[in-house]
Coordinates of all heavy atoms in Angstrom, one line a residue:
Chain A
N273 N 2.3 32.5 -6.5 CA 3.2 33.6 -6.5 C 2.4 34.8 -6.4 O 2.8 35.9 -5.8 CB 4.1 33.7 -7.8 CG 5.3 32.8 -7.7 OD1 5.6 32.2 -6.7 ND2 6.2 32.9 -8.6
I274 N 1.1 34.8 -7.0 CA 0.3 36.0 -6.9 C -0.2 36.2 -5.4 O -0.2 37.2 -4.9 CB -1.0 35.7 -7.8 CG1 -0.6 35.6 -9.3 CG2 -2.0 36.8 -7.5 CD1 -1.8 35.4 -10.3
K275 N -0.3 35.1 -4.7 CA -0.6 35.1 -3.3 C 0.4 35.7 -2.4 O 0.2 36.6 -1.6 CB -1.0 33.8 -2.6 CG -2.4 33.2 -3.1 CD -2.7 31.9 -2.6 CE -3.9 31.3 -3.1 NZ -4.0 29.9 -2.8
T276 N 1.7 35.4 -2.9 CA 2.8 36.0 -2.1 C 2.8 37.5 -2.3 O 3.1 38.3 -1.5 CB 4.2 35.4 -2.7 OG1 4.0 33.9 -2.7 CG2 5.4 35.8 -1.9
A277 N 2.6 37.9 -3.7 CA 2.6 39.4 -4.0 C 1.5 40.1 -3.2 O 1.5 41.1 -2.6 CB 2.2 39.5 -5.5
I278 N 0.3 39.4 -3.0 CA -0.8 39.9 -2.4 C -0.5 40.1 -0.8 O -0.7 41.2 -0.2 CB -2.1 39.0 -2.4 CG1 -2.6 39.1 -3.9 CG2 -3.1 39.3 -1.4 CD1 -3.7 38.1 -4.2
D279 N 0.2 39.1 -0.3 CA 0.7 39.2 1.1 C 1.6 40.4 1.3 O 1.5 41.1 2.4 CB 1.4 37.9 1.6 CG 0.3 36.7 1.7 OD1 -0.8 37.0 1.6 OD2 0.9 35.6 1.7
L280 N 2.5 40.6 0.3 CA 3.5 41.7 0.5 C 2.7 43.1 0.4 O 3.1 44.0 1.1 CB 4.6 41.6 -0.7 CG 5.5 40.5 -0.6 CD1 6.3 40.4 -1.8 CD2 6.5 40.7 0.6
L281 N 1.8 43.1 -0.5 CA 0.9 44.3 -0.6 C 0.1 44.7 0.7 O 0.0 45.8 1.1 CB 0.1 44.3 -1.8 CG 0.7 44.3 -3.2 CD1 -0.2 43.8 -4.3 CD2 1.1 45.7 -3.5
K282 N -0.3 43.6 1.2 CA -1.1 43.8 2.5 C -0.2 44.3 3.6 O -0.7 45.1 4.3 CB -1.7 42.4 2.9 CG -2.9 42.5 3.8 CD -3.5 41.0 4.0 CE -4.7 41.1 5.0 NZ -5.9 41.8 4.4
K283 N 0.9 43.9 3.7 CA 2.0 44.5 4.7 C 2.0 46.0 4.6 O 2.2 46.6 5.5 CB 3.3 43.8 4.5 CG 3.4 42.5 5.4 CD 4.9 42.0 5.2 CE 5.0 40.6 5.7 NZ 6.1 39.9 5.2
D284 N 1.9 46.4 3.2 CA 2.0 47.8 3.0 C 0.6 48.6 3.1 O 0.4 49.6 2.6 CB 2.5 48.1 1.5 CG 4.1 47.8 1.4 OD1 4.6 47.6 2.5 OD2 4.5 47.6 0.4
G285 N -0.3 47.8 3.6 CA -1.7 48.3 3.7 C -2.6 48.3 2.5 O -3.6 49.1 2.5
L286 N -2.1 47.6 1.5 CA -3.0 47.6 0.3 C -3.6 46.2 0.2 O -3.0 45.2 0.1 CB -2.0 47.9 -0.8 CG -2.7 48.1 -2.2 CD1 -3.7 49.4 -2.2 CD2 -1.7 48.4 -3.3
D287 N -5.1 46.3 0.1 CA -5.8 45.0 -0.1 C -6.0 44.7 -1.5 O -6.6 45.5 -2.2 CB -7.1 45.2 0.6 CG -7.0 44.6 2.1 OD1 -6.3 43.6 2.3 OD2 -7.5 45.3 3.0
V288 N -5.5 43.6 -2.0 CA -5.7 43.1 -3.3 C -6.0 41.7 -3.2 O -5.5 40.9 -2.4 CB -4.3 43.2 -4.2 CG1 -4.5 42.6 -5.5 CG2 -3.9 44.7 -4.3
G289 N -7.0 41.3 -4.0 CA -7.6 39.8 -3.9 C -7.1 39.0 -5.1 O -6.5 39.4 -6.1
L290 N -7.5 37.7 -5.0 CA -7.2 36.8 -6.1 C -8.5 35.9 -6.3 O -9.0 35.4 -5.3 CB -6.1 35.8 -5.7 CG -5.9 34.6 -6.7 CD1 -5.5 35.1 -8.1 CD2 -4.8 33.7 -6.1
I291 N -9.0 35.8 -7.6 CA -10.0 34.9 -7.8 C -9.3 33.8 -8.7 O -8.9 34.0 -9.8 CB -11.1 35.7 -8.7 CG1 -11.7 36.8 -7.9 CG2 -12.2 34.7 -9.2 CD1 -12.6 37.7 -8.7
S292 N -9.3 32.7 -8.1 CA -8.7 31.5 -8.7 C -9.7 30.5 -9.3 O -10.7 30.2 -8.6 CB -7.8 30.7 -7.7 OG -7.5 29.5 -8.2
L293 N -9.6 30.3 -10.6 CA -10.7 29.4 -11.2 C -10.1 28.0 -11.1 O -9.3 27.5 -11.8 CB -10.7 29.8 -12.8 CG -11.3 31.1 -13.1 CD1 -11.2 31.4 -14.6 CD2 -12.8 31.3 -12.6
R294 N -10.7 27.3 -10.1 CA -10.5 25.8 -10.1 C -11.1 25.1 -11.2 O -10.6 24.1 -11.8 CB -10.9 25.3 -8.7 CG -10.0 25.7 -7.6 CD -10.0 24.7 -6.5 NE -9.1 23.6 -6.7 CZ -9.4 22.4 -7.1 NH1 -10.6 22.1 -7.1 NH2 -8.5 21.5 -7.3
L295 N -12.4 25.5 -11.5 CA -13.2 24.9 -12.6 C -13.2 25.9 -13.7 O -13.4 27.1 -13.5 CB -14.6 24.7 -12.0 CG -15.6 24.1 -13.0 CD1 -15.3 22.7 -13.4 CD2 -17.0 24.2 -12.5
F296 N -12.8 25.4 -14.9 CA -12.7 26.4 -16.1 C -13.9 25.9 -17.0 O -14.5 26.7 -17.7 CB -11.4 26.1 -16.7 CG -11.4 26.8 -18.1 CD1 -11.6 28.2 -18.2 CD2 -10.9 26.2 -19.1 CE1 -11.5 28.9 -19.4 CE2 -10.8 26.8 -20.4 CZ -11.1 28.2 -20.5
R297 N -14.2 24.6 -17.2 CA -15.3 24.2 -17.9 C -16.2 23.1 -17.0 O -15.5 22.2 -16.6 CB -14.8 23.4 -19.3 CG -14.3 24.4 -20.3 CD -15.5 25.1 -21.0 NE -15.0 26.0 -22.1 CZ -14.7 27.2 -21.9 NH1 -14.8 27.8 -20.8 NH2 -14.3 27.9 -23.1
P298 N -17.4 23.3 -17.0 CA -18.2 24.4 -17.5 C -17.8 25.6 -16.8 O -17.4 25.6 -15.5 CB -19.6 24.0 -17.0 CG -19.5 23.1 -15.9 CD -18.3 22.4 -16.2
F299 N -17.8 26.8 -17.4 CA -17.3 28.1 -16.8 C -18.3 28.4 -15.6 O -19.5 28.5 -15.9 CB -17.3 29.2 -17.9 CG -16.5 30.3 -17.4 CD1 -15.1 30.3 -17.4 CD2 -17.0 31.5 -16.7 CE1 -14.3 31.3 -17.0 CE2 -16.2 32.5 -16.3 CZ -14.8 32.5 -16.4
P300 N -17.7 28.7 -14.5 CA -18.5 28.9 -13.2 C -19.0 30.4 -13.2 O -18.5 31.1 -12.3 CB -17.6 28.5 -12.1 CG -16.1 28.8 -12.6 CD -16.3 28.5 -14.1
S301 N -19.7 30.9 -14.1 CA -20.1 32.3 -14.2 C -20.7 32.8 -12.8 O -20.3 33.8 -12.4 CB -21.2 32.3 -15.3 OG -20.8 31.8 -16.6
E302 N -21.7 32.2 -12.3 CA -22.3 32.7 -11.2 C -21.4 32.8 -10.0 O -21.4 33.8 -9.3 CB -23.6 31.9 -10.7 CG -24.7 31.9 -11.8 CD -25.2 33.2 -12.3 OE1 -25.1 34.2 -11.4 OE2 -25.4 33.4 -13.5
E303 N -20.6 31.8 -9.7 CA -19.6 31.7 -8.7 C -18.6 32.7 -9.0 O -18.1 33.5 -7.9 CB -19.1 30.3 -8.5 CG -20.0 29.3 -8.1 CD -20.9 28.7 -9.2 OE1 -20.8 29.3 -10.3 OE2 -21.8 27.9 -8.9
F304 N -18.3 33.0 -10.1 CA -17.2 34.1 -10.4 C -17.8 35.5 -10.0 O -17.2 36.2 -9.4 CB -16.8 33.9 -11.9 CG -15.9 35.2 -12.3 CD1 -14.6 35.0 -12.0 CD2 -16.5 36.3 -12.9 CE1 -13.8 36.0 -12.3 CE2 -15.6 37.3 -13.2 CZ -14.2 37.2 -13.0
L305 N -19.1 35.6 -10.5 CA -19.8 36.9 -10.2 C -19.8 37.2 -8.7 O -19.6 38.3 -8.3 CB -21.1 37.0 -10.9 CG -21.0 37.1 -12.5 CD1 -22.4 36.9 -13.1 CD2 -20.3 38.4 -12.9
E306 N -20.3 36.1 -8.0 CA -20.4 36.3 -6.6 C -19.1 36.6 -5.9 O -18.9 37.4 -4.9 CB -20.9 34.8 -6.0 CG -22.5 34.7 -6.1 CD -22.8 33.3 -5.9 OE1 -22.0 32.6 -5.2 OE2 -23.8 32.8 -6.5
S307 N -18.0 36.1 -6.5 CA -16.7 36.2 -5.8 C -16.2 37.7 -6.0 O -15.3 38.2 -5.3 CB -15.7 35.4 -6.4 OG -15.3 35.7 -7.7
L308 N -16.8 38.5 -6.9 CA -16.3 39.8 -7.2 C -16.4 40.7 -6.0 O -15.6 41.7 -5.9 CB -17.0 40.4 -8.5 CG -16.6 39.8 -9.8 CD1 -17.6 40.3 -10.9 CD2 -15.1 40.1 -10.2
K309 N -17.5 40.6 -5.3 CA -17.8 41.5 -4.1 C -17.6 42.9 -4.5 O -18.4 43.5 -5.3 CB -16.8 41.1 -3.0 CG -17.2 39.7 -2.4 CD -16.7 39.5 -1.1 CE -16.7 38.1 -0.5 NZ -17.8 37.2 -0.8
N310 N -16.6 43.6 -3.9 CA -16.4 45.1 -4.1 C -15.5 45.4 -5.2 O -15.0 46.6 -5.2 CB -16.1 45.8 -2.9 CG -17.1 45.4 -1.7 OD1 -18.3 45.3 -1.8 ND2 -16.4 45.0 -0.5
V311 N -15.0 44.6 -6.1 CA -13.9 44.7 -6.9 C -14.4 45.7 -8.1 O -15.4 45.7 -8.6 CB -13.4 43.4 -7.5 CG1 -12.6 43.7 -8.6 CG2 -12.9 42.6 -6.5

Side-chain angles (χ1 to χ4, degrees):
Chain A
N273 275 6
I274 295 178
K275 284 179 190 168
T276 307
I278 289 171
D279 293 345
L280 290 170
L281 288 162
K282 207 175 170 72
K283 273 188 195 155
D284 290 344
L286 190 58
D287 268 315
V288 175
L290 167 67
I291 300 170
S292 164
L293 296 170
R294 290 209 78 250
L295 179 67
F296 173 57
R297 285 285 186 267
F299 197 82
S301 306
E302 297 309 321
E303 294 75 6
F304 176 80
L305 291 170
E306 281 161 26
S307 73
L308 287 174
K309 295 197 190 324
N310 307 312
V311 169

